[in-house]
Amino acid sequence: MRIENSFIPVEGVGETTERRLWREGVTTWEEFDPAVDVAGVGSTTADRIESFIAEALTRLDDGDAAYFDRAFPSGERWRLYENFREETCFFDIETTGLDEHRNRVTTVSFHRDGETTTLVAGDDLTADRLRERFADASLLATFNGARFDVPFLETSFGIDVDTPHLDLMYPCKRIGLSGGLKPIEEEIGIDRDRPDLSGRDAVRLWREYERGDDDALDTLVSYNREDTENLRTLADAVCERLHEDVFVGPTAESE
């Protein structure tokens, strides 16, 4: 689903009214006609829809993802993905533990437009490098990043991560995919080169690297990069499934 299919940001338009619009053939903004008689869309709501469309078209042309991040209900943020797919930065962090006040970030991998980059503690993992990666993206995508990755980075590096953020854990739950990232990958058929590695192994590998084992760092980086790259495949699959579940095409009577 694309942003242009959506009317739900408009005050007075809930899921039911949006589906009624779609069933009447109003599946995109350009198809909206205030003269069309749709249950739940009175003159006031129609005026609001027209005002929203006028501003949203300009914002979309400007690539203003932050505007739509604010406009859409949080549970519908996945609808931004199709429009901003190529400007989406997928990222994942590895740490020495779960407490951002006591533990360290060891590696951070970013995947965007087919390219993956990894920053490593003690080398190029700095606040400035992180800011550069986030500032250059229209949308961030993580798995459980809203509760873990983002606050960990903000606390550890004193940065503010305010780029619009799609945490895939929540749309996964919406379509019945629960648990950690790896079980979900298995359920939808995403393969891994090293399915035997876990977050606990990531901590062990960093400790081994600190003791002088460079091969351990190579393995850790490979693990972190695979986590990150698989997020793209997961986002594609989940957003496609949500589109199929949510979007309602026109009824035969309205065609």
Side-chain angles (χ1 to χ4, degrees):
M1 182 181 293
R2 298 180 63 83
I3 290 172
E4 301 96 313
N5 300 124
S6 302
F7 299 90
I8 204 168
V10 179
E11 182 183 354
V13 177
E15 293 180 11
T16 299
T17 301
E18 184 179 58
R19 285 173 176 250
R20 287 172 181 160
L21 284 163
W22 292 338
R23 288 193 181 98
E24 290 295 329
V26 187
T27 58
T28 65
W29 296 340
E30 65 180 14
E31 292 166 333
F32 178 73
D33 181 349
V36 174
D37 185 16
V38 178
V41 181
S43 59
T44 299
T45 301
D47 288 345
R48 288 172 179 162
I49 293 174
E50 283 195 298
S51 296
F52 166 72
I53 291 172
E55 180 169 9
L57 283 169
T58 300
R59 299 281 192 158
L60 191 57
D61 189 55
D62 292 340
D64 189 354
Y67 167 78
F68 296 103
D69 184 60
R70 294 190 300 270
F72 276 74
S74 60
E76 301 299 327
R77 191 171 287 133
W78 63 273
R79 300 192 194 192
L80 277 64
Y81 178 66
E82 183 65 27
N83 291 80
F84 294 103
R85 183 196 305 258
E86 300 310 317
E87 295 86 42
T88 297
C89 176
F90 303 87
F91 81 95
D92 180 74
I93 73 173
E94 301 300 338
T95 68
T96 59
L98 301 178
D99 186 341
E100 67 265 31
H101 298 286
R102 299 174 53 192
N103 301 119
R104 297 177 58 201
V105 180
T106 56
T107 63
V108 184
S109 287
F110 303 88
H111 181 73
R112 177 176 171 183
D113 198 23
E115 299 292 331
T116 305
T117 301
T118 302
L119 306 179
V120 179
D123 183 10
D124 52 4
L125 178 51
T126 65
D128 286 343
R129 294 293 298 274
L130 290 170
R131 289 191 188 98
E132 289 172 7
R133 290 288 169 178
F134 294 137
D136 195 36
S138 296
L139 183 68
L140 305 179
T142 66
F143 188 90
N144 195 31
R147 296 193 305 180
F148 185 72
D149 302 66
V150 169
F152 219 115
L153 291 178
E154 289 182 330
T155 298
S156 299
F157 294 92
I159 62 175
D160 292 319
V161 181
D162 53 10
T163 305
H165 180 191
L166 173 61
D167 187 333
L168 292 167
M169 183 174 72
Y170 300 103
C172 279
K173 287 183 177 179
R174 185 167 171 178
I175 61 173
L177 296 172
S178 59
L181 177 60
K182 292 167 189 63
I184 289 175
E185 289 177 352
E186 290 178 10
E187 187 166 346
I188 66 174
I190 300 176
D191 295 326
R192 281 182 169 262
D193 291 335
R194 291 292 305 273
D196 56 311
L197 293 178
S198 67
R200 183 174 298 178
D201 292 305
V203 176
R204 172 183 57 79
L205 288 165
W206 180 257
R207 297 305 185 200
E208 291 175 1
Y209 165 66
E210 288 185 312
R211 292 194 291 269
D213 186 350
D214 290 339
D215 289 340
L217 178 61
D218 291 341
T219 302
L220 173 60
V221 168
S222 175
Y223 169 75
N224 187 205
R225 290 167 72 92
E226 191 168 36
D227 270 356
T228 307
E229 291 165 1
N230 284 356
L231 290 174
R232 169 78 184 243
T233 307
L234 179 63
D236 289 346
V238 170
C239 290
E240 181 179 352
R241 170 74 176 277
L242 279 168
H243 170 79
E244 294 171 354
D245 289 352
V246 172
F247 185 71
V248 177
T251 60
E253 290 82 2
S254 64
E255 290 177 335

